[in-house]
Amino acid sequence: MRLIDRYLLRQLLGPTLLATLALTAVALLSQSLSALDVIINQRQSAGVFLKITMLAMPQLINMVLPLALFVAALVALNRLQSEQELVVCFAGGMSRWRVIAPPMRLAVIIALLALVMNLFIQPAAYRELRNTLFDVRTDLAATLVREGEFTEPAPGLTVYAQSVDSRGRMGNLFIHVAESDGSATTYTADEGRMATRGGTPVLVMSRGSTQEFSATGVLNYLTFDEYIFDLGPLVASEELVHYKPSDRYLHELFFPDLEQDWERRNRLEMLAEGHARLATPLYNIAFMALALAAILGGGYDRMGYGRRIAWAGAAAALTRILGFVVQAASESGVWLNALQYAVPLIAMGLALRSVFRQRVSRFIDMRKRPSRIAPAGAPA
């Protein structure tokens, strides 16, 4: 029996891995297209783009795992039933539970992996993703200069660069600073680059000139080979990284700091997110049960199981959509969080009931039963 269990498990494991990789690749492509803004508008490197894409993968994998498991189980179980390998298992004396134990065991393992990702890997990855996006948004080099455009990164400051190469070097740089007392200073340079001096970001300008117009109306002009423009006042900001519910660990969702105004106002949303982290792995088991119901939830059919598979697919889609609806509704009422667990558990129970209510004899092809008609010429 252990040999047969391992064989059934292997037949399911391969399609599951293949379906997971395929669906994750599709989801990753969609995520990559939305992250192109980082390179196009924020002028970040390909490494930053790749980092952002990879950090979004834990949630993407968690979203596609139940669907991948469902599709893979349908493919593998339909082939096993069509080739009558499951019929042989039943004819050999295996109970229904022994036949469905390997698929259910695989679903439980995947559910545990999904739970680990929900509780530890996803919040860690999303925190790093939030920090990376914050650094991109506050990147001085990206916000200070845009090639061929006049920008105003701060009140009274206007910056223009005719060109910016891949190394961040700026060509034909123009900077105009207007002070509150009415004075103004204009800097022009053939070239400029970002640097750090004494821990403070600076703009190093080469081969240029300054024209300073004082508040009293006096114009001062000088040329330079190199000039250091202090960017420290531009980076002085009290803005901090704010972690959303998807970025927080389970204990932070269930036990928020109620002294913080945002956490007090969004307590129900955080609680709903916490219960969703615990409930969503159950969809892996529920979808496996639905796949088993599609193949084993009725008698052997020589014409195939297309209709039952279609019904199972519709039930799986309805179950997951209902789960999203319940999660959103839970943000308005604490008691609704119980429904986040009820939806996958009810789907699982109904699917397994469909499997176990069938008689084992109905799974066996009539062609495999011995004929009771005596052969011609046999003695009566």
Side-chain angles (χ1 to χ4, degrees), residues 93-354:
M94 293 182 65
S95 65
R96 279 167 291 188
W97 176 248
R98 287 302 305 273
V99 172
I100 71 170
M104 294 301 292
R105 191 179 301 122
L106 176 63
V108 170
I109 293 173
I110 293 178
L112 292 176
L113 292 176
L115 181 63
V116 171
M117 284 195 292
N118 277 347
L119 298 186
F120 304 105
I121 300 177
Q122 176 189 324
Y126 262 46
R127 280 177 180 244
E128 182 61 27
L129 175 61
R130 198 70 58 191
N131 292 330
T132 302
L133 292 176
F134 179 81
D135 293 338
V136 168
R137 192 175 67 252
T138 58
D139 185 3
L140 190 59
T143 57
L144 182 64
V145 180
R146 294 185 183 275
E147 183 177 2
E149 297 181 17
F150 286 91
T151 60
E152 295 184 1
L157 176 64
T158 303
V159 181
Y160 171 84
Q162 185 178 14
S163 63
V164 181
D165 63 18
S166 59
R167 295 178 297 176
R169 293 184 178 274
M170 310 166 199
N172 293 331
L173 187 63
F174 170 88
I175 300 177
H176 179 76
V177 182
E179 303 292 348
S180 58
D181 60 358
S183 62
T185 305
T186 301
Y187 304 85
T188 59
D190 292 341
E191 186 180 281
R193 57 184 175 83
M194 295 290 181
T196 303
R197 301 289 173 86
T200 303
V202 296
L203 178 61
V204 181
M205 295 183 287
S206 303
R207 302 182 302 278
S209 63
T210 65
Q211 300 88 39
E212 181 181 358
F213 187 79
S214 66
T216 59
V218 177
L219 177 63
N220 296 317
Y221 176 85
L222 61 88
T223 61
F224 57 81
D225 290 329
E226 183 177 274
Y227 185 86
I228 306 299
F229 185 81
D230 185 16
L231 299 175
L234 298 180
V235 299
S237 174
E238 297 180 356
E239 185 180 1
L240 299 175
V241 179
H242 174 69
Y243 292 132
K244 297 181 179 181
S246 58
D247 312 333
R248 299 173 185 254
Y249 290 99
L250 191 66
H251 68 277
E252 296 174 324
L253 296 171
F254 283 148
F255 306 102
D257 184 5
L258 298 182
E259 295 182 359
Q260 302 292 331
D261 181 65
W262 187 90
E263 297 191 10
R264 185 170 57 252
R265 287 187 288 105
N266 295 274
R267 184 179 182 182
L268 291 180
E269 180 182 353
M270 298 174 66
L271 193 61
E273 174 68 20
H275 285 287
R277 299 270 187 90
L278 297 175
T280 49
L282 295 175
Y283 286 96
N284 294 282
I285 307 176
F287 278 26
M288 176 60 79
L290 288 171
L292 289 168
I295 305 301
L296 303 178
Y300 181 86
D301 192 346
R302 295 181 179 87
M303 303 301 294
Y305 306 94
R307 181 176 298 180
R308 295 213 300 256
I309 289 175
W311 279 108
L318 180 62
T319 300
R320 198 63 192 94
I321 292 173
L322 188 59
F324 286 127
V325 172
V326 169
Q327 181 180 352
S330 299
E331 297 177 5
S332 60
V334 176
W335 66 274
L336 291 173
N337 286 300
L339 297 179
Q340 295 201 59
Y341 304 92
V343 170
L345 289 175
I346 290 175
M348 186 193 316
L350 293 176
L352 292 178
R353 179 177 178 272
S354 175

